Amino acid sequence: MVWVDAGGCGIVALAAASAIRHARRRDPLGADEGYLWYGVQQVLKGRWPHRDFKSYEPGRYLWSALFARGFGAGLSSLRRAVHLFFAIGLGAALLALRARGLDWPSIALAAFALSAIAHPQHKLFEHAWLLLAWSSCAWLLWAQSAPAWACEGAVLGLSLLFGFNLFLYASAGMALALAIAAPTGMLPFAAWRMEALAIGASTGLLPMACMALSPGFARMFYRRRIGSVIARGESNLSLPRPWPWRASPAQLQGLDPAHRRAFQWTFLLLPGLPAVAIALVAWRALPPAVDAPALLAAAALGLAAFHHAASRADPSHIVQSLAPTCVLLLLGLAPFAPMGFVPVAALMLWLAWPSWHRARPGDFERRRVGGCEIDVPNAQARLFDAVAKECDAGSPRNGLFAAPAYPALYAALAMESPVYDTFCLYPASDAAQAGMIEGIERAPVRVAIVSDAPVDGREELRFSRTHPRVWAHLHANFDGNRREDIDADVVVFVRPGDAAP
């Protein structure tokens, strides 16, 4: 029966992941997805994330590169790989819900709700790991067996391979869940459980430990993921937090008024609903029909994952943090399933709809990029054309420098970045700027595309201020022209004597 349920949940998860992939097969190529795609191309050439190029954690590149070995290194292959990984996380969550007695119509509605908020598609690793973390923690609280504890440890350890923040969220969520479960009598302490957890964690951490033995990897991982965060005092470019009692901040202004208010209340719901659920579990005030262990696992993880939304409170990061809260809503309405799941599924789809829907098709044009037809914003299309024109004049594969956030250019044009940092939004040290200049000259770079726009409207985050030495070097050694047809803040630098005919 377990295998039948596992197979059924896997089929539902694959169908849901395939449906959302098909729905957004024409989605534009953004900077973050280009960052992932470029990294996959680098891994296929034998280079290592963190050590050889600025990157996310290695797991998502290794997974996508393994997929690319069989299906090609294009954008279409990348999108298939990330959706397949999401299907794994979704399947685990559906199996956990099925194990608690939900019927198949309820499982289908739960898959619909959790898939609707699986956006953006290059961040499906985040969605998948939150669902995996909840499933394993819920199983631990239900089964209280050695395999359950070992599985939870393996999920914790392996999550580090895909995201340092995911490792922290899963670990903090588990620790909070255990801290609440122990005094309530839900989970009496036993030493063997810690042993099983340690064995599982050691197994899950093994791939990352092997990578740490690669020369230079551990140093760059610490510098990128720990040292730089401590030095900046923030893990992401922060934005005003959209609490509902405040005026709607700038990052929500692109939404219609109803969605602006909805995202403000959702931002409050992300920590508020888990806190209420934890209090009800601690006070043993839940109705008997509600599954307390599953609810506690989702609430604890949701409270930990709220950091992701708070670190950069735009619609994308809010939606990326929403999976545990969605699970909480489903669990709370489980006694009324399947009809009780209908409003949750409808609410999740409506909330995420601005991410799926583009209201002004005239702002895009159809282009073939990376082996698939996508809708490219007009400004990005003009940028691609400008770069292709300049680089067609005999430029070497590493003859383009694009900054601060144009990794999609490198990926789409199959070019090599001459510098380590392809997403250079933060102020750089003198040493980092000297290294960037050295890379520009060593290549040697013929064409540089640089946007000097204020990032998030912050003047101090213009490239000319975050990288003043590089900016001065480009002006001293290249002919720069502003491209009004692309963006008034974009400057195209061409080395003298290398202009395209």
Side-chain angles (χ1 to χ4, degrees):
M1 189 66 178
V2 173
W3 291 110
V4 173
D5 286 345
C9 290
I11 291 171
V12 173
L14 282 170
S18 298
I20 60 174
R21 187 187 70 83
H22 178 77
R24 54 190 174 199
R25 67 193 184 282
R26 309 291 190 197
D27 274 12
L29 173 64
D32 290 301
E33 188 175 27
Y35 187 58
L36 176 62
W37 186 20
Y38 177 75
V40 173
Q41 293 173 350
Q42 294 301 295
V43 168
L44 290 171
K45 295 173 182 176
R47 301 184 181 114
W48 281 107
H50 288 313
R51 187 190 69 182
D52 300 322
F53 59 94
K54 187 177 180 180
S55 65
Y56 300 118
E57 264 62 81
R60 58 191 74 200
Y61 297 99
L62 297 177
W63 169 269
S64 302
L66 180 65
F67 202 83
R69 291 288 187 188
F71 299 94
L75 182 60
S76 179
S77 172
L78 174 67
R79 291 180 171 181
R80 287 190 174 92
V82 297
H83 282 85
L84 180 60
F85 195 88
F86 171 70
I88 295 172
L90 178 61
L94 297 179
L95 183 59
L97 292 171
R98 177 67 177 167
R100 308 318 289 172
L102 290 182
D103 57 20
W104 288 110
S106 302
I107 293 297
L109 285 168
F112 182 93
L114 292 167
S115 299
I117 56 173
H119 188 87
Q121 57 184 320
H122 63 276
K123 288 290 190 178
L124 293 187
F125 293 102
E126 275 72 6
H127 291 276
W129 273 108
L130 288 176
L131 293 175
L132 284 167
W134 169 72
S135 305
S136 62
C137 188
W139 184 33
L140 179 153
L141 295 174
W142 287 328
Q144 302 183 20
S145 62
W149 282 82
C151 178
E152 172 70 353
V155 168
L156 293 181
L158 197 57
S159 65
L160 180 59
L161 187 66
F162 287 81
F164 185 54
N165 62 328
L166 299 173
F167 169 74
L168 295 177
Y169 300 153
S171 300
M174 183 204 70
L176 179 58
L178 297 185
I180 300 297
T184 61
M186 188 185 300
L187 188 70
F189 176 79
W192 64 263
R193 291 174 178 147
M194 295 298 105
E195 294 171 0
L197 182 70
I199 292 172
S202 299
T203 304
L205 286 169
L206 189 60
M208 198 66 170
C210 292
M211 289 184 187
L213 298 177
S214 174
F217 178 86
R219 174 175 54 85
M220 291 304 298
F221 175 81
Y222 175 82
R223 181 184 298 177
R224 279 267 301 112
R225 303 302 281 160
I226 301 174
S228 62
V229 172
I230 294 173
R232 291 194 307 264
E234 59 181 10
S235 58
N236 209 333
L237 285 176
S238 60
L239 292 169
R241 292 174 182 174
W243 299 112
W245 52 83
R246 294 180 178 175
S248 179
Q251 68 266 25
L252 301 184
Q253 291 305 308
L255 304 174
D256 61 82
H259 276 95
R260 284 202 295 269
R261 292 301 296 167
F263 269 98
Q264 288 182 280
W265 283 104
T266 300
F267 188 75
L268 177 61
L269 189 69
L270 287 175
L273 187 61
V276 170
I278 287 172
L280 291 175
V281 172
W283 295 336
R284 304 180 188 182
L286 284 174
V290 176
D291 193 306
L295 196 79
L296 176 59
L301 180 63
L303 211 55
F306 174 63
H307 170 268
H308 191 70
S311 67
R312 183 169 173 80
D314 59 9
S316 174
H317 285 77
I318 291 173
V319 170
Q320 288 170 45
S321 310
L322 196 52
T325 303
C326 182
V327 171
L328 268 179
L329 292 172
L330 294 171
L331 291 170
L333 292 171
F336 310 101
M339 292 308 299
F341 284 5
V342 172
V344 178
L347 176 63
M348 295 299 108
L349 179 61
W350 179 82
L351 188 67
W353 184 245
S355 301
W356 293 84
H357 180 65
R358 295 192 298 277
R360 299 183 299 275
D363 292 343
F364 300 85
E365 60 178 82
R366 189 66 51 83
R367 290 286 185 97
R368 188 166 185 83
V369 178
C372 62
E373 300 283 338
I374 64 172
D375 292 331
V376 178
N378 292 335
Q380 187 183 54
R382 291 192 293 269
L383 178 63
F384 281 1
D385 291 341
V387 174
K389 177 182 177 182
E390 296 292 349
C391 292
D392 277 346
S395 177
R397 302 312 300 166
N398 59 348
L400 170 69
F401 171 67
Y406 290 124
L409 271 177
Y410 295 122
L413 299 176
M415 299 193 75
E416 297 286 331
S417 170
V419 302
Y420 173 86
D421 192 348
T422 58
F423 220 121
C424 44
L425 298 177
Y426 292 104
S429 66
D430 285 344
Q433 292 184 70
M436 189 172 284
I437 292 170
E438 181 183 350
I440 290 171
E441 292 305 312
R442 183 175 59 246
V445 166
R446 290 187 55 258
V447 179
I449 307 293
V450 180
S451 171
D452 197 36
V455 178
D456 290 337
R458 295 164 57 177
E459 290 293 326
E460 71 275 15
L461 292 183
R462 289 183 183 271
F463 186 82
S464 58
R465 298 190 181 185
T466 60
H467 295 72
R469 289 184 58 187
V470 180
W471 183 252
H473 178 84
L474 292 173
H475 275 283
N477 294 274
F478 293 74
D479 295 328
N481 295 291
R482 291 191 177 270
R483 291 294 298 259
E484 298 284 345
D485 59 325
I486 300 171
D487 189 300
D489 290 303
V490 172
V491 182
V492 177
F493 293 94
V494 179
R495 197 178 289 271
D498 286 333

